[in-house]
Structures are given as C-alpha cells and as structure tokens.
C-alpha cells in the first residue's frame, strides 16, 4: 500500500517524538493494536464521580447540599488551573493575561449565580436538621479557595485589617499565616486560642499553605501584572479584567454566599451559629475584612466604599 505524503509526515513526526524520549515508535504502534477505544464514561470517570456523594442523614435535600459543594470545588480547581497558566507563562502577553482572567471571572460568575440553588433549592426545615450532622465542618475549610487567594494577590492584602501595619515582605510566612483574615473566624486574638475548626484545618493544610504562599510570593496575579512593561500595565482591557475579577471574587461572589447562608442561619427558627461556630458575618462581609486583591487599581473613593453597595 502506497503511503501518502501526509501520512509519511505523521509517521516521521511520531518517530521524532518517541526518539526524543528514548522510546521506540514500533512499540507504541503495537500498543495501539490492543488498546480499547475510549468512551465518554471512561474519559470523564462518570461512575467514580457519581459515587462520591455520601449523605450523613436521611434527609433528601442533603444530597443537593453535597453535590452543590462538590461542583464548587471542581470550579475552584478550574480557576487554579487557569491562574497557574498566567503565573508561570514564559512570555506573558496582555492578550493572554486578559483572556485567562476572563475565563476565571466566568467561573466565579457561574458560582455567584448558582447560589439560588442553595438559597431556593433546599427546604429550610430539612437544612436545619441535617446541618447538625455536619458540625463542626464548615465551607470555611475549603483549601482550594485559600489557594486561589494566595495565587491572586500579595499576602499583605489577605492579612486581617487590624494587623496589616505590623507585617511586610520580610515577615516570616508562619507569622503572616497566623494573621490571615480568615483566622478571625475561629481565633480569639486576646487569648490566642483557636477553635477546633481552625485547629483541624491547619493540621490538614498548613504545610501545603505555607509552601504555596512561598511559591506564589513573587508570581501571583498581581506580581505578574506589575512585572509587565509599563505600557502593558495601562492596557484598558487588562485593567478592566483585573478590576472585574477583584470585584467578582471579593464582593459579588462573597455577597451571594452571604445571602444564601443568611436565609438559613437567620431563618424562622431563629438566629443560628455557623456549623463551625465562626463569626460568619465578620468573616464574610467585605466591609469588615476589606479583601481587595488589586487595591492600586481602585480609586480612594472606591476603596473607602468597598462592598457597601452590595449590602
């Protein structure tokens, strides 16, 4: 059988590919003879994915709660994947930067609009029953969300607003970690005592967090922006994408989460604590923690009124 030029080029390209990694093309061609065709369910791992929902109660709406949070974690993984493409790009362009920020913001837009699933998709009576089986677990313990924050901005912007003046770039990571804004959700700063919520969270993730903080110290989204040529930093599309991402994550998404939680925590059954026992309002509301990834891109007036319009 005569081999076309196109096929011959593909064979030569494959030969070159495997030669570069010390492999024989014939061995891989032989493997193709016995390889099963891929199916959708094998590629997506559907069976494994659909068997990850394990209820702790007999209440049907708990399944909604579990799957919703699992979808959140998958989207967080997508966001981290996109951030990594920007932060470790060898030749970063404003076009690539802007496009990837657009992707990330769309993921957060999707997360924000999905809060109606939580707000309107569960019976309050059921939620207030099965939530007691979840204590002391809390959505606060989403490690991926913390990683997104570390990869987005300088650590100083994640420090509890009360302690920012005592911390700078020379501060040890361990010390900065102890003053992250979310420590306020489970730490008594007068006594230094931490809640079980924080203790278990740190036991599981602290080392990973410290390593990640170091990895992104000079490669987070803000630092990558500042490393661009001055003219690129003035690119209107990029600056708009940076501002949109900042507002989407730190105001729009947060407030969507807050309003969904408020419906249940302050339901007709009376005020409730968050499952982890945290001071959830001071932890979540933008006006308290003033989480802003890119403060230099906002005016003084915008900074002073951060999150107030969302209430």
């Amino acid at each position: 059988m005569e081999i076309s030029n196109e096929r011959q080029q593909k064979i030569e390209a494959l030969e070159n590919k495997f030669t570069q990694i010390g492999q024989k093309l014939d061995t891989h061609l032989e493997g193709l003879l016995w390889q099963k065709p891929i199916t959708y369910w094998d590629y997506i791992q559907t069976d494994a994915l659909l068997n990850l929902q394990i209820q702790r109660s007999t209440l049907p709406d708990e399944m909604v709660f579990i799957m919703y949070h699992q979808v959140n974690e998958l989207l967080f993984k997508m966001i981290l994947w996109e951030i990594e493409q920007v932060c470790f790009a060898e030749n970063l362009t404003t076009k690539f930067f802007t496009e990837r920020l657009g992707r990330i913001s769309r993921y957060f837009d999707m997360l924000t609009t999905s809060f109606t699933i939580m707000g309107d998709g569960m019976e309050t009576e059921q939620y207030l029953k099965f939530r007691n089986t979840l204590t002391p677990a809390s959505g606060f313990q989403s490690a991926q969300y913390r990683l997104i924050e570390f990869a987005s901005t300088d650590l100083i912007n994640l420090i509890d607003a009360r302690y920012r003046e005592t911390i700078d770039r020379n501060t040890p990571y361990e010390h900065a970690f102890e003053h992250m804004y979310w420590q306020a959700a489970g730490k008594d700063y007068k006594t230094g005592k931490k809640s079980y919520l924080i203790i278990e969270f740190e036991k599981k993730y602290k080392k990973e967090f410290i390593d990640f903080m170091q990895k992104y110290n000079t490669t987070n989204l803000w630092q990558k922006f500042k490393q661009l040529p001055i003219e690129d930093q003035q690119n209107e599309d990029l600056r708009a994408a940076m501002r949109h991402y900042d507002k989407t994550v730190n105001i729009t998404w947060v407030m969507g989460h807050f309003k969904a939680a408020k419906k249940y925590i302050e339901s007709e059954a009376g005020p409730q604590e968050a499952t982890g026992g945290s001071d959830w309002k001071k932890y979540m509301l933008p006006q308290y923690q003033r989480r802003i990834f890119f403060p230099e891109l906002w005016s003084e007036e915008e900074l002073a009124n951060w999150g107030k319009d969302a209430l």
Side-chain angles (χ1 to χ4, degrees), residues 148-263:
I148 289 170
E149 292 180 317
F150 294 148
S152 294
T153 188
D154 289 344
L155 290 177
I156 192 65
N157 297 319
L158 302 175
I159 299 296
D160 188 311
R162 296 170 293 177
Y163 303 96
R164 287 182 188 173
E165 292 184 1
T166 69
I167 291 174
D168 58 30
R169 276 199 165 274
N170 296 317
T171 300
Y173 290 104
E174 290 270 352
H175 182 70
F177 180 83
E178 290 297 329
H179 291 83
M180 291 288 111
Y181 78 89
W182 37 265
Q183 292 278 358
K187 182 178 180 180
D188 185 330
Y189 278 97
K190 292 181 180 179
T191 65
K193 185 177 181 180
K194 297 182 180 181
S195 67
Y196 182 82
L197 171 81
I198 290 280
I199 291 171
E200 289 302 301
F201 189 48
E202 292 182 0
K203 187 184 298 182
K204 172 71 174 175
Y205 293 113
K206 184 175 180 178
K207 184 181 185 305
E208 179 183 349
F209 285 166
I210 297 294
D211 290 344
F212 201 86
M213 288 161 68
Q214 292 177 304
K215 176 181 177 181
Y216 279 89
N217 184 43
T218 59
T219 58
N220 60 66
L221 291 177
W222 176 244
Q223 286 297 316
K224 296 300 289 188
F225 175 80
K226 294 296 289 182
Q227 290 164 19
L228 291 171
I230 297 297
E231 59 270 24
D232 288 348
Q233 292 181 37
Q234 300 303 318
N235 182 282
E236 291 184 7
D237 290 338
L238 177 56
R239 292 175 74 89
M242 297 280 283
R243 283 168 55 92
H244 179 74
Y245 173 58
D246 203 350
K247 184 177 181 179
T248 299
V249 178
N250 292 313
I251 296 180
T252 313
W253 183 80
V254 170
M255 289 307 301
H257 192 178
F258 172 79
K259 290 173 183 177
K262 187 175 188 291
K263 174 181 177 179

